[in-house]
Every structure is written in structure tokens, then in C-alpha cells.
């Protein structure tokens, strides 16, 4: 289990790195929640995912680049699962970012620590996400990428369950809500005269 950053409520339940990244913005009908509002929040997300962030901190431009990648992965994924052709510029952006060298980690003495070989930049962390998207979208499991079934949620997830029948982006956020609504409906039906 990965630990979430102390100051954030990032969750890592989307089933893949790139979809966890997409889930850092939630577009609900009634409100839009942006979890990556500042470069510091992006640093926090990188840390929560075990990705190195530049020691000097991230810039506004890094944040814009990250959001552009996030939008491209989101739009491309939704097009593909809808059976529609993805936008050429989105594919190009994912590929351009994925081409950047990714960070190199080495095991430390004793085998329980790891260190990045050289000072990585933001592009290196984004490259890891872009490559995850390339592997996921071009892989054999497109049918397991779905949008949450909950009313008005539609957060994307990759279904790793053995049955392949996962319906919710996260049990905590939508599964329990749906189960409670189901229960109330059943009780209401039963108590009707
Ligand atoms: Zn959901």
C-alpha cells in the first residue's frame, strides 16, 4: 500500500498511475474539484506516488505541463473506451512527454532504501505517467478501463478485480454511497403497505 501525502486527500484507487493522475481533478455536475491547484500540491502528489520531484521545487510551468498531460490522458482514454478516435494532438503530447528520460533509482545498501541517481526534473516524473498511459491504453485490457457507475461521478478506473465487475471509482467515495442508497431503497420498498 502506498501512503497518501499528509496534507492531501489523494487516493490511489484508480488501479493505474495515469488514471490516479487523471483523478486529481473531479468534474462533478455540481462542482469541480482541482487537487493540483499549486506547484506544491503537484510536488505532494509526486511524493505520494513515489515519484521524485525536483529538489528546487516545481514551477507554474511544470504545473501547466502536468495539467496538459492529465487532460490529454483523460480525453484519449474516454475516446478509446467510447470507441471514438482520440485527438491527434493528445496522442502527440503523451508521446512527447513519454520520450523524456525517466528517473533512475538504485537500491541502497541493505536493499530497503532507494535513491535517485541524478537530480530529476518534473519532466522525468511526467514521463513515467505518460509511459504508464501508453502501456495501459495500447495494452490488452481496454475493456477493463471504465467510468464510475455512480450518478454524476464518471471518474475513470482500471478494473484489476478478479471478476472484472468493479463498478465504482472507489468504495470509500462512491461504492459505500451506492450501497447505502440501495439499502434505503430496499427498506422503503419493504415498509410500503
Ligand atoms: Zn465514483
Amino acid at each position: 500500500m502506498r501512503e497518501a501525502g499528509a496534507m492531501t486527500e489523494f487516493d490511489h484507487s484508480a488501479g493505474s498511475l495515469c488514471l490516479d493522475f487523471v483523478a486529481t481533478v473531479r468534474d462533478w455536475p455540481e462542482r469541480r474539484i482541482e487537487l493540483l491547484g499549486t506547484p506544491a500540491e503537484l510536488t505532494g502528489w509526486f511524493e505520494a506516488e513515489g515519484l521524485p520531484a525536483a529538489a528546487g521545487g516545481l514551477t507554474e510551468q511544470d504545473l501547466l505541463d502536468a495539467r496538459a498531460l492529465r487532460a490529454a490522458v483523460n480525453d484519449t482514454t474516454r475516446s478509446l473506451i467510447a470507441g471514438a478516435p482520440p485527438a491527434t494532438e493528445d496522442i502527440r503530447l503523451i508521446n512527447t512527454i513519454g520520450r523524456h528520460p525517466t528517473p533512475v533509482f538504485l537500491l541502497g545498501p541493505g536493499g530497503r532504501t532507494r535513491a535517485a541517481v541524478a537530480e530529476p526534473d518534473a519532466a522525468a516524473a511526467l514521463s513515467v505517467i505518460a509511459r504508464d498511459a501508453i502501456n495501459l491504453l495500447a495494452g490488452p485490457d481496454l475493456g477493463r478501463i471504465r467510468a464510475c457507475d455512480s450518478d454524476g461521478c464518471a471518474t475513470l478506473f482500471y478494473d484489476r478485480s478478479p471478476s472484472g465487475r468493479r463498478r465504482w471509482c472507489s468504495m470509500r467515495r462512491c461504492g459505500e454511497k451506492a450501497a447505502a442508497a440501495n439499502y434505503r431503497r430496499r427498506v422503503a420498498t419493504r415498509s410500503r403497505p
Side-chain angles (χ1 to χ4, degrees):
M1 281 292 273
R2 284 170 295 191
E3 280 173 15
M7 55 170 217
T8 59
E9 44 172 308
F10 299 137
D11 67 45
H12 309 286
S13 49
S16 90
L17 177 68
C18 66
L19 296 184
D20 277 338
F21 189 54
V22 166
T24 56
V25 64
R26 305 216 179 101
D27 271 310
W28 284 319
E30 67 276 24
R31 65 205 160 117
R32 184 173 197 274
I33 297 182
E34 171 61 85
L35 299 181
L36 303 180
T38 62
E41 285 173 343
L42 180 59
T43 302
W45 191 83
F46 283 165
E47 282 170 359
E49 292 285 349
L51 294 169
L58 298 176
T59 64
E60 286 293 335
Q61 186 58 51
D62 294 331
L63 183 62
L64 292 178
D65 291 346
R67 287 187 185 157
L69 174 64
R70 186 178 63 183
V73 174
N74 179 58
D75 293 352
T76 303
T77 306
R78 288 185 196 277
S79 294
L80 289 174
I81 63 180
T88 308
E89 57 268 31
D90 287 340
I91 303 267
R92 187 169 302 159
L93 183 70
I94 292 168
N95 285 342
T96 301
I97 292 176
R99 227 187 278 276
H100 193 89
T102 52
V104 175
F105 292 100
L106 294 179
L107 267 184
R112 294 287 299 144
T113 55
R114 59 175 204 162
V117 163
E119 169 60 20
D121 54 10
L126 294 180
S127 181
V128 176
I129 300 168
R131 293 182 190 197
D132 182 65
I134 292 166
N135 285 330
L136 182 70
L137 296 176
D141 284 340
L142 192 62
R144 279 180 171 256
I145 305 172
R146 289 192 289 278
C148 178
D149 244 4
S150 181
D151 275 350
C153 177
T155 298
L156 293 169
F157 64 86
Y158 172 43
D159 182 359
R160 291 179 183 272
S161 70
S163 67
R165 297 209 309 248
R166 177 176 163 184
R167 294 174 61 195
W168 320 115
C169 62
S170 112
M171 271 320 281
R172 188 170 56 81
R173 203 162 48 235
C174 288
E176 284 167 12
K177 217 165 56 187
N182 235 334
Y183 176 76
R184 279 195 302 273
R185 241 191 330 269
R186 278 206 311 275
V187 169
T189 314
R190 224 180 296 144
S191 58
R192 222 168 269 156

